[in-house]
Amino acid sequence: MPDSPETRVRIAPSPTGPLHIGTARTALFNYLFARRQGGTFILRLEDTDVARSSLAYEKDILDGLHWLGLTWDEGPEVAGQAARGPYAPYRQMQRLPSYAAAADRLLAADLAYRCYCTPDELDAERRRLEAAKLPPRYNGRCARLTDDERRAFEAEGRRPAIRFRVPEQEVIAFDDLIRGRVEIDASALGGDLVIVRADGNPLYHFTVVVDDAAMAISHVIRGEDHLSNTPKHILLFRALGHPEPRFGHLPLILNADRTKMSKRKTQTALAEYIEQGFVREGLVNYLALLGWSTGTEEEVLSLDELTERFDLAHVHKGGAVFDRERLEWLNGQWIRRLGVDEFVDRLQPFFEVELAGGRIDRLPTDDELRSLAPVIQERLPRLGAVGELVGFLFVDRVEVDPAQLVPKRWDRAITVDGLSAARDALARHDEVTWEADELEPPLRGLAETRGWKAGDLFMAIRVAVTGRTATPPLFDTLVALGRERTLARLDAALAALGS
RNA sequence: GCCGCAUUCGUCUAGAGGCCCAGGACACCGCCCUCUCAAGGCGGAGAUCACCGGUUCGAAUCCGGUAUGCGGUACCA
């Protein structure tokens, strides 16, 4: 693949909420496209909605993107700090002069004009049109104001917004990278559009074009929800005298009911997935395959492998329902692929959460975790599930339900018998022979001589020492528990059975 | 309402005129492995390719219409 240095793509999140899984996916697709093309990936913060933007959200977004491993070549690195790159700054609120200059140019060329209509007036007009079953559209009341009329409005104290002139009759067409040719009649655009608010702050449709032009963006890859807005952008590019970039509209991520993914119906904040123990490899892999496929049957792919294979032509056009089960499966695949040290490092924070929540009494050591790794790694769909898997190893005492202590085929008396015989057999081991393959044969032998099913005996022991019916393999569990605690818990269980 | 986009197993998808009475994966159900739970292996069930017409010797794939869904239609992004 030849180097195309002029490929410049961007992700332009708005810090009006925590990093959304959909934004993360759009960022990923842009990243993959840029890397694949040998191009430049840019991050730009669209923070012109001052009322809803916050630094905390900005930090959440930057941290989340970093966490995913989507490194950008230009843009802010750290929340609140200055941005790096030849087109800095990369925060729109710091680029206000360039929007003002662009607006002045449009005004001077009469491609835009000042509009004195108040929000109330516009609202009333919109409602009138709706009631008449007509499409809402700006009526152009201020499109041809005389100087006198303008002065009269100013005298009333009205502050003007700036509107961009949208042609009455013109078909805007473009070749979408994913959907092919799209044609939309300018008359369907709702009339002249506001590009600068009365308070002087520029609006999204305007800033996005001014910046994409200024930053020499070559390909705009974004969600399908922007497809209908694209003609407005194209008109603005033309008015600004800048060549249009290529556009590619990604299918939307959907709730289970096939509506656009929303916080109400689906967990959308990346930070929550991180908290629950999804690993970056799993999330990246899953998100990449939501709406795109390699065209082959490969599906467990790393970020680098995805990059090698990425291709906009294989992006599916229809919306994709977010399927958490599939995410968990892929996440499990990646957890199992982690090296032991990496696995242990990533797991420790989750034990800290367990400790803080009072669900365990102490933290495991790295050594303990390393020896436990082989038996827990394949049992975790998410790192956050580790507490319920082996939390019993790190508590001072376990709660044991006496009813669960008695295996299905056994009664209380056999259980007492079995447990105390097991206790005796285990007590014969010292610290040195307290190993899984040393512990198992004697207990199997015991079951056999007494005519018990080994599984029943093991289950009774399992419940006695862990309080649970589902655990990692019993003998590995006993080793992790240690001789003293194993014996003590067996004694406690025997006591609970009233013997 | 208007404009636009989309539509293959429950879900994610493969498929770019004959290889497809449609392949893979998740989930589901069996079986195997097995001390439980997982993981893994094997097998099963699951899609009249939204519908109706057309083009063609031949259509999931091309064209038209219909339906349904979704998105957009803000001095939000």
Side-chain angles (χ1 to χ4, degrees):
Chain A
M1 163 115 335
D3 247 26
S4 316
E6 54 280 278
T7 293
R8 293 176 56 81
V9 299
R10 46 57 167 190
I11 177 68
S14 169
T16 52
L19 179 56
H20 190 283
I21 215 80
T23 306
R25 186 188 63 147
T26 303
L28 173 61
F29 279 48
N30 275 278
Y31 170 93
L32 293 172
F33 183 73
R35 293 290 171 263
R36 174 66 179 155
Q37 303 280 316
T40 304
F41 177 47
I42 298 147
L43 172 66
R44 181 175 72 223
L45 260 2
E46 308 219 323
D47 54 357
T48 53
D49 186 346
V50 181
R52 293 194 298 147
S53 293
S54 86
L55 194 61
Y57 289 141
E58 185 179 311
K59 178 171 163 44
D60 184 83
I61 290 167
L62 261 27
D63 287 352
L65 258 13
H66 272 128
W67 183 86
L68 286 169
L70 306 182
T71 52
W72 49 95
D73 307 302
E74 299 174 20
E77 295 294 335
V78 177
Q81 292 192 12
R84 280 212 326 258
Y87 299 89
Y90 292 86
R91 269 187 193 75
Q92 294 192 321
M93 285 309 280
Q94 293 170 353
R95 302 177 62 82
L96 260 18
S98 76
Y99 311 126
D104 283 346
R105 271 163 55 211
L106 295 180
L107 244 16
D110 195 36
L111 292 167
Y113 58 88
R114 292 189 174 79
C115 170
Y116 294 87
C117 298
T118 64
D120 284 349
E121 289 167 348
L122 294 170
D123 224 48
E125 171 71 0
R126 188 167 23 246
R127 273 198 301 271
R128 190 184 68 76
L129 289 170
E130 258 172 51
K133 298 252 180 235
L134 289 167
R137 133 181 280 274
Y138 178 60
N139 60 17
R141 188 171 73 129
C142 298
R144 309 279 165 206
L145 253 28
T146 63
D147 287 348
D148 283 348
E149 289 169 320
R150 195 157 27 238
R151 267 191 293 276
F153 278 135
E154 300 267 353
E156 281 179 43
R158 293 162 95 129
R159 305 296 308 150
I162 299 176
R163 275 185 195 272
F164 173 65
R165 293 188 196 279
V166 172
E168 286 293 319
Q169 295 278 329
E170 183 178 343
V171 175
I172 319 292
F174 60 101
D175 289 300
D176 192 274
L177 263 2
I178 294 162
R179 282 146 221 282
R181 191 156 191 84
V182 176
E183 299 184 350
I184 296 177
D185 199 298
S187 64
L189 264 29
D192 298 341
L193 92 133
V194 176
I195 55 175
V196 179
R197 290 185 179 90
D199 69 6
N201 276 139
L203 256 8
Y204 169 75
H205 294 306
F206 186 50
T207 59
V208 74
V209 171
V210 170
D211 284 342
D212 284 343
M215 296 179 181
I217 299 302
S218 61
H219 303 257
V220 172
I221 300 167
R222 73 228 299 197
E224 193 195 331
D225 45 351
H226 287 294
L227 189 62
S228 310
N229 292 327
T230 303
K232 294 176 187 170
H233 300 347
I234 288 175
L235 254 12
L236 248 3
F237 274 109
R238 290 179 186 166
L240 258 12
H242 192 279
E244 312 153 25
R246 302 293 310 273
F247 292 94
H249 290 91
L250 268 19
L252 257 23
I253 302 182
L254 275 20
N255 296 310
D257 62 6
R258 304 203 75 90
T259 52
K260 179 175 161 182
M261 193 197 206
S262 65
K263 193 177 165 182
R264 275 328 283 158
K265 298 173 179 173
T266 310
Q267 182 177 302
T268 58
L270 178 75
E272 291 175 23
Y273 288 90
I274 298 174
E275 268 172 39
Q276 291 165 3
F278 286 92
V279 296
R280 63 176 62 84
E281 295 86 344
L283 237 3
V284 162
N285 197 161
Y286 178 72
L287 257 17
L289 262 24
L290 245 199
W292 174 73
S293 74
T294 60
T296 69
E297 282 171 5
E298 306 171 291
E299 40 190 3
V300 183
L301 268 3
S302 68
L303 186 58
D304 286 344
E305 292 168 328
L306 292 166
T307 301
E308 287 167 19
R309 294 161 177 71
F310 192 71
D311 171 12
L312 241 24
H314 277 97
V315 175
H316 197 254
K317 296 183 183 71
V321 172
F322 188 86
D323 181 2
R324 186 181 167 108
E325 304 233 51
R326 193 169 151 82
L327 202 213
E328 291 212 4
W329 170 73
L330 224 27
N331 198 55
Q333 292 293 321
W334 282 103
I335 286 178
R336 276 165 236 138
R337 282 168 167 75
L338 255 24
V340 179
D341 290 339
E342 184 67 23
F343 176 64
V344 168
D345 280 353
R346 297 208 206 181
L347 210 46
Q348 280 295 11
F350 291 89
F351 279 106
E352 280 158 26
V353 170
E354 291 300 298
L355 184 67
R359 292 181 292 279
I360 57 176
D361 298 310
R362 70 170 180 89
L363 253 20
T365 64
D366 279 359
D367 280 345
E368 279 179 299
L369 247 31
R370 255 190 292 274
S371 51
L372 225 36
V375 294
I376 61 177
Q377 208 162 353
E378 68 191 22
R379 273 167 248 267
L380 289 174
R382 290 173 292 106
L383 298 178
V386 77
E388 56 184 82
L389 216 211
V390 289
F392 60 81
L393 289 173
F394 310 104
V395 297
D396 295 336
R397 55 180 302 275
V398 286
E399 296 294 330
V400 178
D401 175 0
Q404 278 200 328
L405 223 32
V406 181
K408 281 191 287 288
R409 277 179 294 262
W410 286 13
D411 58 20
R412 197 193 67 91
I414 305 177
T415 305
V416 169
D417 194 7
L419 251 20
S420 58
R423 195 229 183 264
D424 292 343
L426 287 168
R428 276 180 224 119
H429 289 83
D430 57 21
E431 305 290 355
V432 178
T433 62
W434 196 262
E435 293 297 338
D437 41 9
E438 302 265 6
L439 261 24
E440 184 168 353
L443 289 181
R444 279 198 187 279
L446 170 67
E448 195 173 341
T449 59
R450 301 296 297 271
W452 298 326
K453 279 194 179 297
D456 289 334
L457 208 218
F458 295 173
M459 184 53 83
I461 300 171
R462 179 191 326 278
V463 174
V465 303
T466 69
R468 321 185 52 100
T469 55
T471 71
L474 181 62
F475 301 100
D476 296 295
T477 301
L478 297 186
V479 170
L481 212 43
R483 183 178 187 276
E484 294 315 313
R485 287 196 300 162
T486 296
L487 265 21
R489 287 185 186 186
L490 285 171
D491 290 338
L494 252 2
L497 283 172
S499 86

